[in-house]
Amino acid sequence: MKACNLKIHSIETFGTHDGPGIRLVIFAQGCLFRCLYCHNPDTQALETDKTKTIKIKEILELLEKQRTYFGKTGGLTISGGEPTLQATGLIELFKECKKRAFNTCLDTCGAIYSREVQELYDLADLVMLDVKHIDDGWHQKLTGMSNANTLKNAAYREKTGKELWLRYVLVPGWTDQEEHLETWAKYFANYKTLKRVELIPYHKLGVFKYEALGRKYELDGVEPPTKTEIAKAAEIFIKYLGNKVVVV
Ligand code: SF4
């Protein structure tokens, strides 16, 4: 085993929201996007005075301690931040997980498209990909970057035939335009690897973190979607993607 270190923000030992079953969730430090609604803005910088490093060996030890709780579906999720910034270390980690039969899930915004990231996708049992907007102009306004790499990564995952979940945050006035919801859902309608689509209503739980970081919260005044707005968006998604769609 190579002695790689990963830069991380935090660890959740019994996560139930980031992939199937009970999971050890590692939040990687650093992200290329700057999503206006990001509820973990403290994970965005590549290095902070709070960044911790963890050895792959230590993650494997944590996994062993939790093995009995994972059952058939649980395992390890690498989230962030954006984990693929540390693809080299994660490739090593996922290889070691494979040897030990730990299920692996990569939670990514797809910002980086490279041979190395493809290798990581090949190793991951599940990729959960955030496709934050289907219109590139809106995507850039919302995240600061193009959606081109994210869509290329989605296509790559489809090509491999391995399981893919998609996530979409519904933000009133930003990501809830009917025509774009239609385009988004149609775009993925024929994906054979797509097993679940999570529609996530925008919330404001991370706003206080911006204050703590001395940063302006750009979506100030934007309220979470109403039940009716959520139902309308879900209906559009369901029209093309059927019962894969869940509101979480
Ligand atoms: S991709 Fe995720 S971690 Fe990165 S800025 Fe967006 S919401 Fe935050």
Side-chain angles (χ1 to χ4, degrees), residues 82-137:
E82 174 46 41
T84 59
L85 283 170
Q86 303 183 69
T88 314
L90 290 179
I91 288 169
E92 291 311 313
L93 173 61
F94 280 16
K95 279 183 183 166
E96 294 300 327
C97 285
K98 244 189 186 12
K99 283 186 207 160
R100 294 163 175 80
F102 287 120
N103 178 280
T104 53
C105 168
L106 178 71
D107 178 13
T108 171
C109 68
I112 302 171
Y113 182 71
S114 69
R115 188 52 226 138
E116 216 181 18
V117 170
Q118 288 179 350
E119 189 179 347
L120 189 58
Y121 275 42
D122 293 346
L123 288 163
D125 293 306
L126 170 65
V127 170
M128 295 199 299
L129 182 65
D130 286 354
V131 182
K132 294 170 185 286
H133 211 297
I134 201 67
D135 177 86
D136 199 30

Side-chain angles (χ1 to χ4, degrees), residues 104-232:
T104 53
C105 168
L106 178 71
D107 178 13
T108 171
C109 68
I112 302 171
Y113 182 71
S114 69
R115 188 52 226 138
E116 216 181 18
V117 170
Q118 288 179 350
E119 189 179 347
L120 189 58
Y121 275 42
D122 293 346
L123 288 163
D125 293 306
L126 170 65
V127 170
M128 295 199 299
L129 182 65
D130 286 354
V131 182
K132 294 170 185 286
H133 211 297
I134 201 67
D135 177 86
D136 199 30
W138 274 102
H139 192 279
Q140 290 186 35
K141 272 193 261 178
L142 190 68
T143 71
M145 283 181 70
S146 165
N147 63 11
N149 282 350
T150 305
L151 296 178
K152 282 197 254 176
N153 277 316
Y156 180 74
R157 186 65 176 176
E158 173 70 357
K159 202 170 102 190
T160 64
K162 297 188 73 182
E163 185 168 354
L164 172 70
W165 291 11
L166 294 175
R167 289 173 141 184
Y168 189 82
V169 181
L170 187 69
V171 191
W174 285 84
T175 68
D176 65 345
Q177 309 92 340
E178 256 181 72
E179 74 274 26
H180 295 314
L181 289 169
E182 291 264 349
T183 311
W184 194 103
K186 266 191 233 167
Y187 191 95
F188 296 108
N190 294 322
Y191 266 53
K192 292 191 177 63
T193 56
L194 182 58
K195 298 290 178 251
R196 181 174 161 107
V197 177
E198 294 189 343
L199 183 62
I200 307 166
Y202 162 74
H203 61 70
K204 306 203 301 189
L205 299 177
V207 176
F208 74 94
K209 295 183 189 169
Y210 286 79
E211 265 173 42
L213 292 169
R215 281 173 52 183
K216 184 173 183 293
Y217 185 63
E218 301 289 343
L219 293 189
D220 215 10
V222 176
E223 293 302 317
T226 62
K227 277 189 183 157
T228 313
E229 287 165 339
I230 297 167
K232 202 166 144 200

Side-chain angles (χ1 to χ4, degrees), residues 30-63:
C31 187
L32 297 180
F33 284 3
R34 290 293 178 269
C35 303
L36 299 182
Y37 56 67
C38 180
H39 63 274
N40 288 320
D42 44 343
T43 64
Q44 292 173 349
L46 289 172
E47 190 83 56
T48 75
D49 52 4
K50 294 197 179 113
T51 303
K52 308 174 197 58
T53 55
I54 188 165
K55 293 187 176 72
I56 287 177
K57 192 172 142 280
E58 292 171 311
I59 298 174
L60 294 168
E61 283 164 10
L62 287 173
L63 283 165

